[in-house]
């Protein structure tokens, strides 16, 4: 499920060409852009929180890009957005990557879905401080439980959710996440946060939060 996309970022001082040239140099070299891990914000929840403070005083707010990776050209990802738009995301030495957990740029592949936050550059790219690859956030119903997977329905869609003892957690009635999944029951409604598998459409579940959808009280 594609997360909502905030409006593109804009430079606070468009006439400050010296500052923009500096930002471009930083992005291309990747030397001093602050990565999201330095800000404690490369986990799955961070993709859906309010934007962080700007990474640079010249930037009024972060730019966001979402879509499917069509091509990878060195450090630049060519993105086809879900609304027919196109964008180019530039990875730097400081870009933080999430792919069902902290990952590296080498793990990003053409065909992956992507949600990125970063600094808009004069050349039209977005220099990413953080990218979330194949991230999924949806409300589903548990229709079956196996030792290593959940069978879910989301609307008319059936989804296989893979469980991992090392990375999957559960939250019950908004309690703190726990590794104990034994309280999950068939028929439970739950918010599922995880990583989509493009090859087969399954989801690697990072967290399953049992309870009513956001905004609804039981």
């Amino acid at each position: 499920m594609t997360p909502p996309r905030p409006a593109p970022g804009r430079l606070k001082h468009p006439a400050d060409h010296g500052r923009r040239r500096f930002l471009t140099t930083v992005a291309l070299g990747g030397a001093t852009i602050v990565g999201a891990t330095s800000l404690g914000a490369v986990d799955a929840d961070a993709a859906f929180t309010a934007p962080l403070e700007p990474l640079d005083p010249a930037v009024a707010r972060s730019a966001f890009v979402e879509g499917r990776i069509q091509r990878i050209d060195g450090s630049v990802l060519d993105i086809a957005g879900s609304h027919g738009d196109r964008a180019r995301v530039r990875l730097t030495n400081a870009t933080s990557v999430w792919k069902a957990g902290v990952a590296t740029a080498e793990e990003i592949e053409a065909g992956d879905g992507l949600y990125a936050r970063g600094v808009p550059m004069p050349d039209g790219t977005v220099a990413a401080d953080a990218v979330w690859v194949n991230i999924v956030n949806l409300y589903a119903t548990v229709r079956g439980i196996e030792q290593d997977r959940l069978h879910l329905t989301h609307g008319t869609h059936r989804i296989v959710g893979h469980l991992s003892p090392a990375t999957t957690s559960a939250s019950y009635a908004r309690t703190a996440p726990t590794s104990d999944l034994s309280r999950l029951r068939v028929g439970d409604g739950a918010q599922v946060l995880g990583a989509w598998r493009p090859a087969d459409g399954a989801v690697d579940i990072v967290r399953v939060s049992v309870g009513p959808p956001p905004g609804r009280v039981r």
Side-chain angles (χ1 to χ4, degrees):
M1 181 176 179
T2 301
R5 181 179 53 176
R10 294 177 180 173
L11 295 177
K12 186 181 294 184
H13 305 293
D16 188 355
H17 298 297
R19 189 60 163 169
R20 292 176 69 174
R21 280 197 299 271
F22 169 75
L23 282 171
T24 304
T25 301
V26 170
L28 295 177
T32 58
I33 280 185
V34 178
T37 49
S38 300
L39 304 174
V42 76
D43 60 10
D45 293 300
F48 305 102
T49 59
L52 297 177
E53 290 299 312
L55 302 177
D56 187 278
V59 181
R61 64 180 298 177
S62 297
F64 288 80
V65 174
E66 59 80 29
R68 194 88 180 263
I69 301 172
Q70 302 298 299
R71 188 170 68 94
I72 300 176
D73 183 9
S75 63
V76 177
L77 311 178
D78 185 11
I79 309 298
S82 59
H83 302 289
D85 51 327
R86 300 297 289 256
R88 295 167 67 232
V89 172
R90 185 179 297 277
L91 305 178
T92 79
N93 294 339
T95 302
S96 299
V97 180
W98 182 95
K99 192 174 185 180
V102 176
T104 66
E106 288 71 27
E107 295 175 63
I108 300 174
E109 301 177 294
D112 282 340
L114 177 138
Y115 186 59
R117 181 190 67 207
V119 179
M121 293 288 106
D123 65 358
T125 63
V126 171
D129 77 297
V131 298
W132 291 266
V133 182
N134 296 333
I135 191 164
V136 169
N137 185 12
L138 54 85
Y139 192 81
T141 301
V142 178
R143 294 303 185 193
I145 301 174
E146 297 182 35
Q147 183 175 0
D148 60 351
R149 70 190 64 191
L150 298 180
H151 296 275
L152 308 167
T153 56
H154 172 67
T156 60
H157 300 283
R158 294 179 180 272
I159 302 168
V160 175
H162 293 275
L163 305 173
S164 168
T167 59
T168 304
S169 65
S171 174
Y172 304 96
R174 300 192 177 123
T175 58
T178 173
S179 60
D180 178 15
L181 306 181
S182 65
R183 293 164 58 190
L184 292 175
R185 297 289 183 268
V186 171
D188 281 344
Q191 197 74 29
V192 176
L193 193 60
W196 169 59
R197 293 183 179 185
D200 59 10
V203 172
D204 291 317
I205 297 178
V206 173
R207 187 172 65 251
V208 53
S209 300
V210 178
R216 183 184 301 174
V217 178
R218 225 176 229 156

